Amino acid sequence: MLFNPEIEQLPRPRLRALQNERLQEQVAYLAARVPFYQRQLAELGINPATFRGLDDLAKLGFTKKTDFRDNYPFGLFAVPQAEVARLHCSSGTTGKATVVGYTAGDLGIFAEVVARSLAAAGCRPGMKLQNAYGYGLFTGGLGIHYGAERLGLTVIPVSGGSTDRQLQLLQDFQPEILCATPSYAQVLAEEIARRGIGLEALSLRYAALGAEPWSEAVRAQVQAGLGVAATNIYGLSEIIGPGVSQEAVEERGTGSYVWEDHFLPEIVDKDTGEPLPEGELGVLVLTTLTKKAMPVLRYWTGDITDLHHDPHGSRTHVKMGPIRGRADDMLIIRGVNFFPTQVEDIISSLAHLSPSYQVVATRRGSLDEVEVRVEVAEPLLRELGLGALTPAAVAAHDYLQALQGTFARKIKDNIGLSMTVSLLGPGQLPRSEGGKLSRVQDLRGR
Ligand code: ADP
Ligand code: K
């Protein structure tokens, strides 16, 4: 089913013309309203009045995550605060960093693209959707919620976690659709098997999964374990939230439709920033074409994928492949984005920890786990009369116990993720060749 057939099947030339017109409008709008873009356009010698739209797209500069940080909280907003109907933050950034805003009209666009996405995922008006995405500042919960309502679904806003409750509701309310991160869908599938709940006790038919990368192997496991057809939903707060692109249920494995009337995608070389031809892997760059509160030009997502047209597709919009990785060191832990430098900031706020640290991501079952290993500063250990630190030595010293606890708590409070903390003595972390520590070890292998 297509939620908006006219737009979803708009012939390519008309779609291009629409994008062209909207891009010109968006550039003029930002040039008149947002100092950051005024400066950027001026520096690049771009005159909004003569900007030719798509032909000039590659002349525009990129917008990066650091630009959001530098303009925190509202510096990139294009409307007075009174016109902002809702605020969200990028996941994993509970405090500073990425704040995004929406006008009432923007929320309408958000609901529309999610409604399109859920329809492509297999949902039909009248079905029930259990929404296990987190509600709150994270765009996932409310984003799915309002899109599902727009499509005419009955929403069960259970939010993330509480597996017992999730399983109870799946049996009692008999929803046909589940929205969750793929790793949480795996957890639910495993628990269903472990508790011997037969699939005949459930009515699930479809799952729309996203917020983190996943593989065909995970798809196979979730589809078998939950009795669903599972599709990919992709998005990011800086652009709107989930619903930037979505896989169609009949076309699983061939890529996700980018809703191009609202979001203009490009693939660029991760080192040079040069646009790459169709089918090549590079960094996904997205421009919003219709948002009003906080439009962005050429947002550097950091996500590595490709774009390709599917001549046999049910929609005319371009497809993006699965996310193959990141152009930076961002990790996605249980759907939450996190940069190792966030750990570094916490370390520098605490006395007695040295800036030598390592972040190790592993998988236990289907859930991500993170251990932060950090070296304790030399003077403290000398004072305590200790050399190398073992877990037993840490456990035997109240002060080290407290330090470990404070560090773990700050991580949880500031990043929103629970991590295991290990304290080590100076020089205990393995150095690589040139004596350099590799800060991140991702041992999850999907
Ligand atoms: P979201 O609510 O979609 O997780 P965030 O802004 O918190 O939004 O995170 C966006 C990032 O999450 C993306 O840049 C990408 O790295 C990752 N992400 C979101 N959806 C997917 C997906 N379906 N597959 C792979 N990665 C995804
Ligand atoms: K995410």
Side-chain angles (χ1 to χ4, degrees), residues 65 89-92 98 133 138-141 182 209-214 232-239 241-243 245 256 299 301-303 320 322-326 330 332 335-337:
K65 190 120 191 152
C89 289
S90 175
S91 64
T98 313
Y133 269 124
F138 173 56
T139 51
L209 310 176
E212 64 187 4
W214 53 306
N232 183 51
I233 183 163
Y234 168 89
L236 62 166
S237 319
E238 291 84 350
I239 298 303
S245 75
S256 305
Y299 184 69
T301 67
D303 292 320
M320 59 181 255
I323 303 299
R324 312 293 186 93
R326 294 278 313 171
M330 184 175 96
I332 306 181
V336 176
N337 310 348

Side-chain angles (χ1 to χ4, degrees), residues 287-422:
T287 297
T288 64
L289 293 173
T290 49
K291 280 202 328 185
K292 293 289 185 220
M294 205 203 58
V296 285
L297 299 179
R298 302 192 86 203
Y299 184 69
W300 181 277
T301 67
D303 292 320
I304 308 283
T305 185
D306 72 291
L307 292 172
H308 54 273
H309 291 275
D310 182 350
H312 309 293
S314 52
R315 279 89 171 158
T316 52
H317 297 223
V318 73
K319 284 179 171 178
M320 59 181 255
I323 303 299
R324 312 293 186 93
R326 294 278 313 171
D328 55 29
D329 59 2
M330 184 175 96
L331 290 167
I332 306 181
I333 305 296
R334 289 170 241 140
V336 176
N337 310 348
F338 136 74
F339 289 91
T341 47
Q342 290 175 271
V343 165
E344 193 165 326
D345 291 344
I346 296 171
I347 289 173
S348 55
S349 75
L350 288 170
H352 305 308
L353 292 182
S354 95
S356 297
Y357 71 96
Q358 195 173 45
V359 171
V360 185
T362 51
R363 290 214 128 183
R364 177 144 28 113
S366 43
L367 267 196
D368 299 331
E369 309 229 317
V370 183
E371 181 189 358
V372 178
R373 301 174 182 159
V374 63
E375 292 181 3
V376 173
E378 179 96 62
L380 175 68
L381 288 192
R382 229 181 304 125
E383 207 176 298
L384 296 175
L386 293 170
L389 280 187
T390 57
V394 175
H397 276 83
D398 290 348
Y399 189 82
L400 293 176
Q401 278 282 292
L403 184 59
Q404 195 171 25
T406 308
F407 187 31
R409 200 164 43 250
K410 282 210 168 201
I411 289 175
K412 172 79 183 145
D413 288 350
N414 294 341
I415 305 176
L417 285 167
S418 298
M419 303 185 193
T420 309
V421 168
S422 302

